[in-house]
Amino acid sequence: MIDLIKQILNSDLGSSFNNAAILVFRILLAVELFRVHGMKKFRVENGQKEHVPNPLHLPEKLNGLVATFSDTVVPFFIILGLGTRLAVLPTIGVTAVGYFVVHRKDSLEVRDVPYMYTLSLLLILALGAGTYSLDYYLLNLI
């Protein structure tokens, strides 16, 4: 079990420049995700909250909870580099469903946003948070 945790947390990109680059990438991506998509979850426009599409026909509360968690809580895990590889999974799910299901018939300009988020989050999933993260700090405590 400890070995699995170490594999999930381990992420050294080889040089301080690479590790700093993934830190900046993580922060900028997460801030944008929260600012643009997370804040919509709290805003009321025209007397209504944001409508969250439910193409998988999940229970409405679960669908709303996953979307809200993905856009409001996950960005902070990404910024801190805390459980990063696991934390990005729900947001990858939401953005991939947005691309492949919700926007599949829309123009490329509309599909571009969930596509770019999905690719960016997949990069973080593959590379991890780097050495400038709580994951790396926790790994060295184990």
Short mmCIF file of all heavy atoms in Angstrom, two decimals, residues 57-115:
data_model
loop_
_atom_site.label_atom_id
_atom_site.label_comp_id
_atom_site.label_asym_id
_atom_site.label_seq_id
_atom_site.Cartn_x
_atom_site.Cartn_y
_atom_site.Cartn_z
N HIS A 57 -27.24 11.15 -17.37
CA HIS A 57 -28.47 10.88 -16.62
C HIS A 57 -28.20 10.36 -15.21
O HIS A 57 -28.86 9.44 -14.74
CB HIS A 57 -29.38 9.92 -17.40
CG HIS A 57 -29.63 10.38 -18.79
ND1 HIS A 57 -30.38 11.50 -19.10
CD2 HIS A 57 -29.21 9.89 -19.99
CE1 HIS A 57 -30.40 11.68 -20.40
NE2 HIS A 57 -29.70 10.72 -20.97
N LEU A 58 -27.21 10.98 -14.57
CA LEU A 58 -26.95 10.68 -13.16
C LEU A 58 -28.03 11.32 -12.32
O LEU A 58 -28.74 12.23 -12.79
CB LEU A 58 -25.58 11.27 -12.77
CG LEU A 58 -24.35 10.74 -13.49
CD1 LEU A 58 -23.14 11.58 -13.13
CD2 LEU A 58 -24.12 9.29 -13.16
N PRO A 59 -28.18 10.91 -11.07
CA PRO A 59 -29.09 11.64 -10.20
C PRO A 59 -28.67 13.12 -10.16
O PRO A 59 -27.48 13.42 -10.11
CB PRO A 59 -28.90 10.97 -8.83
CG PRO A 59 -28.41 9.59 -9.16
CD PRO A 59 -27.58 9.74 -10.40
N GLU A 60 -29.62 14.01 -10.23
CA GLU A 60 -29.34 15.45 -10.35
C GLU A 60 -28.39 15.97 -9.27
O GLU A 60 -27.48 16.74 -9.56
CB GLU A 60 -30.63 16.26 -10.35
CG GLU A 60 -31.43 16.15 -11.63
CD GLU A 60 -30.68 16.65 -12.86
OE1 GLU A 60 -29.95 17.66 -12.78
OE2 GLU A 60 -30.84 16.01 -13.92
N LYS A 61 -28.61 15.55 -8.03
CA LYS A 61 -27.75 16.02 -6.94
C LYS A 61 -26.32 15.53 -7.12
O LYS A 61 -25.37 16.28 -6.88
CB LYS A 61 -28.30 15.60 -5.58
CG LYS A 61 -29.51 16.39 -5.16
CD LYS A 61 -29.90 16.09 -3.74
CE LYS A 61 -31.08 16.97 -3.35
NZ LYS A 61 -31.42 16.90 -1.96
N LEU A 62 -26.15 14.29 -7.53
CA LEU A 62 -24.81 13.75 -7.75
C LEU A 62 -24.13 14.46 -8.91
O LEU A 62 -22.96 14.84 -8.83
CB LEU A 62 -24.88 12.24 -8.03
CG LEU A 62 -23.55 11.56 -8.37
CD1 LEU A 62 -22.58 11.68 -7.19
CD2 LEU A 62 -23.76 10.12 -8.75
N ASN A 63 -24.86 14.68 -9.99
CA ASN A 63 -24.32 15.39 -11.15
C ASN A 63 -23.86 16.80 -10.76
O ASN A 63 -22.76 17.22 -11.10
CB ASN A 63 -25.38 15.46 -12.25
CG ASN A 63 -24.85 16.07 -13.52
OD1 ASN A 63 -23.94 15.54 -14.13
ND2 ASN A 63 -25.44 17.19 -13.91
N GLY A 64 -24.70 17.50 -10.03
CA GLY A 64 -24.35 18.85 -9.58
C GLY A 64 -23.18 18.85 -8.62
O GLY A 64 -22.30 19.72 -8.69
N LEU A 65 -23.13 17.85 -7.74
CA LEU A 65 -22.04 17.75 -6.77
C LEU A 65 -20.70 17.50 -7.47
O LEU A 65 -19.70 18.14 -7.16
CB LEU A 65 -22.32 16.63 -5.77
CG LEU A 65 -21.27 16.40 -4.69
CD1 LEU A 65 -21.21 17.60 -3.75
CD2 LEU A 65 -21.58 15.15 -3.90
N VAL A 66 -20.68 16.59 -8.43
CA VAL A 66 -19.45 16.28 -9.16
C VAL A 66 -18.97 17.51 -9.93
O VAL A 66 -17.79 17.87 -9.89
CB VAL A 66 -19.63 15.07 -10.11
CG1 VAL A 66 -18.43 14.91 -11.02
CG2 VAL A 66 -19.86 13.80 -9.30
N ALA A 67 -19.89 18.18 -10.62
CA ALA A 67 -19.52 19.38 -11.39
C ALA A 67 -19.01 20.49 -10.48
O ALA A 67 -18.00 21.13 -10.77
CB ALA A 67 -20.70 19.85 -12.21
N THR A 68 -19.69 20.70 -9.37
CA THR A 68 -19.29 21.76 -8.43
C THR A 68 -17.95 21.42 -7.79
O THR A 68 -17.07 22.28 -7.71
CB THR A 68 -20.37 21.95 -7.35
OG1 THR A 68 -21.59 22.31 -8.00
CG2 THR A 68 -19.98 23.04 -6.37
N PHE A 69 -17.77 20.19 -7.35
CA PHE A 69 -16.50 19.76 -6.76
C PHE A 69 -15.35 19.92 -7.76
O PHE A 69 -14.29 20.42 -7.43
CB PHE A 69 -16.61 18.30 -6.30
CG PHE A 69 -15.35 17.74 -5.71
CD1 PHE A 69 -14.98 18.06 -4.42
CD2 PHE A 69 -14.53 16.89 -6.45
CE1 PHE A 69 -13.81 17.54 -3.87
CE2 PHE A 69 -13.37 16.37 -5.92
CZ PHE A 69 -13.00 16.70 -4.61
N SER A 70 -15.59 19.53 -9.00
CA SER A 70 -14.57 19.58 -10.04
C SER A 70 -14.12 21.00 -10.35
O SER A 70 -12.96 21.22 -10.68
CB SER A 70 -15.08 18.94 -11.33
OG SER A 70 -15.32 17.58 -11.12
N ASP A 71 -15.03 21.95 -10.26
CA ASP A 71 -14.72 23.33 -10.64
C ASP A 71 -14.39 24.24 -9.47
O ASP A 71 -13.89 25.34 -9.67
CB ASP A 71 -15.89 23.93 -11.42
CG ASP A 71 -16.12 23.26 -12.75
OD1 ASP A 71 -15.21 22.55 -13.24
OD2 ASP A 71 -17.22 23.44 -13.32
N THR A 72 -14.70 23.82 -8.23
CA THR A 72 -14.46 24.69 -7.08
C THR A 72 -13.42 24.16 -6.09
O THR A 72 -12.63 24.93 -5.56
CB THR A 72 -15.77 24.96 -6.31
OG1 THR A 72 -16.32 23.71 -5.86
CG2 THR A 72 -16.77 25.70 -7.17
N VAL A 73 -13.40 22.86 -5.86
CA VAL A 73 -12.47 22.29 -4.88
C VAL A 73 -11.19 21.78 -5.54
O VAL A 73 -10.08 22.06 -5.08
CB VAL A 73 -13.16 21.16 -4.07
CG1 VAL A 73 -12.19 20.50 -3.11
CG2 VAL A 73 -14.37 21.69 -3.33
N VAL A 74 -11.34 21.05 -6.63
CA VAL A 74 -10.19 20.46 -7.32
C VAL A 74 -9.13 21.50 -7.69
O VAL A 74 -7.94 21.24 -7.53
CB VAL A 74 -10.64 19.63 -8.55
CG1 VAL A 74 -9.46 19.25 -9.43
CG2 VAL A 74 -11.37 18.38 -8.08
N PRO A 75 -9.52 22.70 -8.17
CA PRO A 75 -8.47 23.67 -8.49
C PRO A 75 -7.52 23.98 -7.32
O PRO A 75 -6.32 24.19 -7.54
CB PRO A 75 -9.26 24.92 -8.90
CG PRO A 75 -10.53 24.38 -9.45
CD PRO A 75 -10.84 23.19 -8.59
N PHE A 76 -8.03 23.96 -6.11
CA PHE A 76 -7.17 24.23 -4.95
C PHE A 76 -6.22 23.06 -4.69
O PHE A 76 -5.07 23.27 -4.31
CB PHE A 76 -8.01 24.59 -3.72
CG PHE A 76 -8.70 25.91 -3.88
CD1 PHE A 76 -10.03 25.97 -4.23
CD2 PHE A 76 -7.99 27.09 -3.73
CE1 PHE A 76 -10.66 27.19 -4.42
CE2 PHE A 76 -8.60 28.32 -3.92
CZ PHE A 76 -9.94 28.37 -4.26
N PHE A 77 -6.68 21.84 -4.91
CA PHE A 77 -5.78 20.68 -4.81
C PHE A 77 -4.68 20.76 -5.87
O PHE A 77 -3.53 20.42 -5.61
CB PHE A 77 -6.56 19.36 -4.96
CG PHE A 77 -7.35 18.97 -3.75
CD1 PHE A 77 -8.73 19.02 -3.76
CD2 PHE A 77 -6.71 18.54 -2.59
CE1 PHE A 77 -9.47 18.65 -2.64
CE2 PHE A 77 -7.43 18.17 -1.47
CZ PHE A 77 -8.82 18.23 -1.50
N ILE A 78 -5.05 21.20 -7.07
CA ILE A 78 -4.08 21.33 -8.15
C ILE A 78 -3.05 22.40 -7.81
O ILE A 78 -1.85 22.20 -7.99
CB ILE A 78 -4.78 21.63 -9.49
CG1 ILE A 78 -5.65 20.45 -9.92
CG2 ILE A 78 -3.76 21.97 -10.58
CD1 ILE A 78 -6.56 20.75 -11.11
N ILE A 79 -3.50 23.54 -7.32
CA ILE A 79 -2.58 24.62 -6.95
C ILE A 79 -1.60 24.16 -5.89
O ILE A 79 -0.39 24.40 -5.99
CB ILE A 79 -3.36 25.87 -6.48
CG1 ILE A 79 -4.08 26.51 -7.67
CG2 ILE A 79 -2.43 26.87 -5.80
CD1 ILE A 79 -5.09 27.57 -7.29
N LEU A 80 -2.11 23.51 -4.86
CA LEU A 80 -1.26 23.04 -3.76
C LEU A 80 -0.42 21.83 -4.14
O LEU A 80 0.58 21.54 -3.49
CB LEU A 80 -2.12 22.70 -2.54
CG LEU A 80 -2.88 23.85 -1.89
CD1 LEU A 80 -3.84 23.31 -0.84
CD2 LEU A 80 -1.92 24.86 -1.30
N GLY A 81 -0.83 21.14 -5.19
CA GLY A 81 -0.14 19.91 -5.55
C GLY A 81 -0.42 18.83 -4.52
O GLY A 81 0.46 18.06 -4.14
N LEU A 82 -1.64 18.76 -4.06
CA LEU A 82 -2.04 17.81 -3.01
C LEU A 82 -2.92 16.72 -3.61
O LEU A 82 -4.03 17.00 -4.06
CB LEU A 82 -2.79 18.54 -1.89
CG LEU A 82 -3.27 17.70 -0.74
CD1 LEU A 82 -2.10 17.02 -0.03
CD2 LEU A 82 -4.05 18.55 0.25
N GLY A 83 -2.40 15.49 -3.62
CA GLY A 83 -3.15 14.38 -4.21
C GLY A 83 -3.48 14.67 -5.67
O GLY A 83 -4.54 14.30 -6.16
N THR A 84 -2.57 15.32 -6.34
CA THR A 84 -2.82 15.90 -7.65
C THR A 84 -3.33 14.90 -8.67
O THR A 84 -4.33 15.16 -9.35
CB THR A 84 -1.54 16.57 -8.18
OG1 THR A 84 -0.99 17.38 -7.14
CG2 THR A 84 -1.82 17.41 -9.38
N ARG A 85 -2.66 13.76 -8.79
CA ARG A 85 -3.07 12.78 -9.81
C ARG A 85 -4.49 12.26 -9.55
O ARG A 85 -5.24 12.03 -10.49
CB ARG A 85 -2.08 11.63 -9.86
CG ARG A 85 -0.79 12.01 -10.56
CD ARG A 85 0.07 10.78 -10.79
NE ARG A 85 1.15 11.07 -11.70
CZ ARG A 85 2.43 11.04 -11.36
NH1 ARG A 85 2.79 10.71 -10.12
NH2 ARG A 85 3.37 11.31 -12.25
N LEU A 86 -4.84 12.07 -8.31
CA LEU A 86 -6.20 11.61 -7.99
C LEU A 86 -7.20 12.76 -8.09
O LEU A 86 -8.33 12.57 -8.53
CB LEU A 86 -6.24 11.00 -6.59
CG LEU A 86 -5.42 9.73 -6.39
CD1 LEU A 86 -5.48 9.29 -4.94
CD2 LEU A 86 -5.91 8.63 -7.30
N ALA A 87 -6.77 13.95 -7.70
CA ALA A 87 -7.67 15.10 -7.68
C ALA A 87 -8.15 15.49 -9.07
O ALA A 87 -9.30 15.92 -9.23
CB ALA A 87 -6.99 16.30 -7.01
N VAL A 88 -7.30 15.34 -10.08
CA VAL A 88 -7.70 15.77 -11.43
C VAL A 88 -8.70 14.82 -12.09
O VAL A 88 -9.36 15.19 -13.06
CB VAL A 88 -6.49 15.98 -12.37
CG1 VAL A 88 -5.59 17.06 -11.85
CG2 VAL A 88 -5.74 14.70 -12.63
N LEU A 89 -8.85 13.61 -11.57
CA LEU A 89 -9.71 12.61 -12.23
C LEU A 89 -11.16 13.07 -12.40
O LEU A 89 -11.71 12.94 -13.50
CB LEU A 89 -9.63 11.28 -11.49
CG LEU A 89 -8.28 10.56 -11.60
CD1 LEU A 89 -8.28 9.30 -10.74
CD2 LEU A 89 -7.93 10.24 -13.04
N PRO A 90 -11.83 13.61 -11.36
CA PRO A 90 -13.21 14.03 -11.59
C PRO A 90 -13.32 15.16 -12.61
O PRO A 90 -14.27 15.19 -13.41
CB PRO A 90 -13.72 14.47 -10.22
CG PRO A 90 -12.57 14.47 -9.31
CD PRO A 90 -11.44 13.75 -9.96
N THR A 91 -12.36 16.06 -12.61
CA THR A 91 -12.42 17.18 -13.56
C THR A 91 -12.14 16.69 -14.98
O THR A 91 -12.74 17.18 -15.94
CB THR A 91 -11.45 18.30 -13.14
OG1 THR A 91 -11.68 18.61 -11.77
CG2 THR A 91 -11.67 19.54 -13.97
N ILE A 92 -11.25 15.72 -15.13
CA ILE A 92 -11.04 15.12 -16.44
C ILE A 92 -12.35 14.50 -16.92
O ILE A 92 -12.74 14.64 -18.08
CB ILE A 92 -9.91 14.07 -16.42
CG1 ILE A 92 -8.55 14.76 -16.25
CG2 ILE A 92 -9.93 13.20 -17.68
CD1 ILE A 92 -7.40 13.80 -15.99
N GLY A 93 -13.03 13.81 -16.02
CA GLY A 93 -14.32 13.21 -16.38
C GLY A 93 -15.33 14.25 -16.84
O GLY A 93 -15.98 14.09 -17.88
N VAL A 94 -15.44 15.34 -16.11
CA VAL A 94 -16.40 16.39 -16.45
C VAL A 94 -16.04 17.04 -17.78
O VAL A 94 -16.90 17.22 -18.65
CB VAL A 94 -16.48 17.45 -15.33
CG1 VAL A 94 -17.24 18.69 -15.78
CG2 VAL A 94 -17.11 16.86 -14.08
N THR A 95 -14.77 17.37 -17.98
CA THR A 95 -14.37 18.04 -19.22
C THR A 95 -14.44 17.10 -20.43
O THR A 95 -14.83 17.52 -21.52
CB THR A 95 -12.97 18.66 -19.12
OG1 THR A 95 -12.00 17.64 -18.83
CG2 THR A 95 -12.93 19.74 -18.05
N ALA A 96 -14.11 15.83 -20.23
CA ALA A 96 -14.19 14.87 -21.33
C ALA A 96 -15.64 14.64 -21.74
O ALA A 96 -15.96 14.55 -22.94
CB ALA A 96 -13.51 13.56 -20.95
N VAL A 97 -16.54 14.54 -20.77
CA VAL A 97 -17.96 14.40 -21.09
C VAL A 97 -18.45 15.66 -21.80
O VAL A 97 -19.22 15.58 -22.77
CB VAL A 97 -18.80 14.12 -19.81
CG1 VAL A 97 -20.28 14.31 -20.07
CG2 VAL A 97 -18.53 12.71 -19.31
N GLY A 98 -17.96 16.81 -21.36
CA GLY A 98 -18.31 18.06 -22.04
C GLY A 98 -17.89 18.04 -23.50
O GLY A 98 -18.65 18.44 -24.39
N TYR A 99 -16.70 17.54 -23.76
CA TYR A 99 -16.19 17.50 -25.13
C TYR A 99 -16.87 16.42 -25.97
O TYR A 99 -17.34 16.70 -27.07
CB TYR A 99 -14.67 17.26 -25.12
CG TYR A 99 -14.08 17.17 -26.50
CD1 TYR A 99 -13.92 18.30 -27.28
CD2 TYR A 99 -13.71 15.94 -27.05
CE1 TYR A 99 -13.41 18.23 -28.56
CE2 TYR A 99 -13.18 15.86 -28.33
CZ TYR A 99 -13.03 17.00 -29.08
OH TYR A 99 -12.52 16.93 -30.35
N PHE A 100 -16.91 15.19 -25.46
CA PHE A 100 -17.39 14.07 -26.26
C PHE A 100 -18.90 13.92 -26.31
O PHE A 100 -19.43 13.31 -27.23
CB PHE A 100 -16.77 12.75 -25.76
CG PHE A 100 -15.32 12.62 -26.07
CD1 PHE A 100 -14.38 12.70 -25.06
CD2 PHE A 100 -14.88 12.44 -27.37
CE1 PHE A 100 -13.02 12.58 -25.33
CE2 PHE A 100 -13.52 12.32 -27.66
CZ PHE A 100 -12.59 12.39 -26.64
N VAL A 101 -19.61 14.46 -25.31
CA VAL A 101 -21.05 14.25 -25.25
C VAL A 101 -21.82 15.57 -25.39
O VAL A 101 -22.59 15.74 -26.34
CB VAL A 101 -21.46 13.53 -23.94
CG1 VAL A 101 -22.96 13.30 -23.88
CG2 VAL A 101 -20.71 12.20 -23.78
N VAL A 102 -21.60 16.49 -24.47
CA VAL A 102 -22.39 17.73 -24.45
C VAL A 102 -22.16 18.56 -25.71
O VAL A 102 -23.11 19.06 -26.31
CB VAL A 102 -22.08 18.56 -23.18
CG1 VAL A 102 -22.82 19.89 -23.20
CG2 VAL A 102 -22.43 17.77 -21.93
N HIS A 103 -20.91 18.72 -26.11
CA HIS A 103 -20.58 19.61 -27.23
C HIS A 103 -20.19 18.86 -28.51
O HIS A 103 -19.60 19.46 -29.41
CB HIS A 103 -19.45 20.56 -26.83
CG HIS A 103 -19.81 21.47 -25.71
ND1 HIS A 103 -20.76 22.45 -25.82
CD2 HIS A 103 -19.35 21.52 -24.43
CE1 HIS A 103 -20.87 23.09 -24.67
NE2 HIS A 103 -20.03 22.55 -23.81
N ARG A 104 -20.51 17.60 -28.62
CA ARG A 104 -20.04 16.81 -29.76
C ARG A 104 -20.50 17.34 -31.11
O ARG A 104 -19.82 17.17 -32.11
CB ARG A 104 -20.42 15.34 -29.59
CG ARG A 104 -21.86 15.03 -29.85
CD ARG A 104 -22.16 13.53 -29.70
NE ARG A 104 -23.56 13.27 -29.88
CZ ARG A 104 -24.48 13.36 -28.93
NH1 ARG A 104 -24.12 13.71 -27.72
NH2 ARG A 104 -25.74 13.13 -29.19
N LYS A 105 -21.65 17.99 -31.16
CA LYS A 105 -22.17 18.50 -32.43
C LYS A 105 -21.95 20.01 -32.60
O LYS A 105 -22.36 20.58 -33.59
CB LYS A 105 -23.66 18.18 -32.55
CG LYS A 105 -23.92 16.69 -32.65
CD LYS A 105 -25.39 16.40 -32.78
CE LYS A 105 -25.61 14.89 -32.84
NZ LYS A 105 -27.02 14.53 -32.87
N ASP A 106 -21.30 20.62 -31.61
CA ASP A 106 -21.06 22.06 -31.67
C ASP A 106 -19.86 22.36 -32.57
O ASP A 106 -19.10 21.47 -32.95
CB ASP A 106 -20.81 22.63 -30.27
CG ASP A 106 -22.06 22.60 -29.40
OD1 ASP A 106 -23.17 22.51 -29.96
OD2 ASP A 106 -21.92 22.66 -28.18
N SER A 107 -19.66 23.63 -32.84
CA SER A 107 -18.54 24.06 -33.67
C SER A 107 -17.22 23.83 -32.92
O SER A 107 -17.20 23.67 -31.70
CB SER A 107 -18.67 25.55 -34.00
OG SER A 107 -18.50 26.32 -32.82
N LEU A 108 -16.13 23.84 -33.66
CA LEU A 108 -14.81 23.66 -33.05
C LEU A 108 -14.51 24.73 -32.02
O LEU A 108 -13.82 24.48 -31.03
CB LEU A 108 -13.73 23.64 -34.12
CG LEU A 108 -13.69 22.41 -35.01
CD1 LEU A 108 -12.63 22.57 -36.09
CD2 LEU A 108 -13.43 21.16 -34.18
N GLU A 109 -15.00 25.94 -32.24
CA GLU A 109 -14.76 27.04 -31.30
C GLU A 109 -15.39 26.74 -29.94
O GLU A 109 -14.83 27.10 -28.91
CB GLU A 109 -15.30 28.36 -31.85
CG GLU A 109 -14.53 28.90 -33.04
CD GLU A 109 -14.93 28.26 -34.36
OE1 GLU A 109 -15.97 27.57 -34.42
OE2 GLU A 109 -14.19 28.44 -35.34
N VAL A 110 -16.53 26.10 -29.93
CA VAL A 110 -17.20 25.75 -28.67
C VAL A 110 -16.55 24.53 -28.04
O VAL A 110 -16.34 24.48 -26.83
CB VAL A 110 -18.71 25.50 -28.92
CG1 VAL A 110 -19.40 24.98 -27.67
CG2 VAL A 110 -19.38 26.78 -29.41
N ARG A 111 -16.20 23.55 -28.86
CA ARG A 111 -15.61 22.30 -28.36
C ARG A 111 -14.18 22.51 -27.85
O ARG A 111 -13.65 21.69 -27.11
CB ARG A 111 -15.60 21.25 -29.46
CG ARG A 111 -16.99 20.84 -29.89
CD ARG A 111 -16.97 19.87 -31.02
NE ARG A 111 -16.54 18.59 -30.51
CZ ARG A 111 -16.02 17.63 -31.26
NH1 ARG A 111 -15.86 17.82 -32.55
NH2 ARG A 111 -15.67 16.49 -30.74
N ASP A 112 -13.55 23.58 -28.28
CA ASP A 112 -12.16 23.84 -27.95
C ASP A 112 -11.90 23.94 -26.45
O ASP A 112 -10.89 23.43 -25.96
CB ASP A 112 -11.71 25.13 -28.65
CG ASP A 112 -10.23 25.38 -28.49
OD1 ASP A 112 -9.45 24.45 -28.79
OD2 ASP A 112 -9.86 26.49 -28.07
N VAL A 113 -12.79 24.56 -25.71
CA VAL A 113 -12.56 24.78 -24.27
C VAL A 113 -12.50 23.46 -23.51
O VAL A 113 -11.50 23.19 -22.82
CB VAL A 113 -13.61 25.74 -23.68
CG1 VAL A 113 -13.47 25.83 -22.17
CG2 VAL A 113 -13.46 27.13 -24.31
N PRO A 114 -13.50 22.58 -23.59
CA PRO A 114 -13.37 21.32 -22.86
C PRO A 114 -12.23 20.45 -23.37
O PRO A 114 -11.61 19.72 -22.61
CB PRO A 114 -14.73 20.64 -23.03
CG PRO A 114 -15.38 21.31 -24.18
CD PRO A 114 -14.82 22.69 -24.24
N TYR A 115 -11.92 20.56 -24.65
CA TYR A 115 -10.81 19.80 -25.23
C TYR A 115 -9.48 20.23 -24.60
O TYR A 115 -8.68 19.39 -24.18
CB TYR A 115 -10.79 20.02 -26.75
CG TYR A 115 -9.66 19.33 -27.46
CD1 TYR A 115 -9.69 17.97 -27.68
CD2 TYR A 115 -8.57 20.05 -27.93
CE1 TYR A 115 -8.66 17.33 -28.36
CE2 TYR A 115 -7.53 19.42 -28.60
CZ TYR A 115 -7.58 18.06 -28.81
OH TYR A 115 -6.56 17.44 -29.47
#
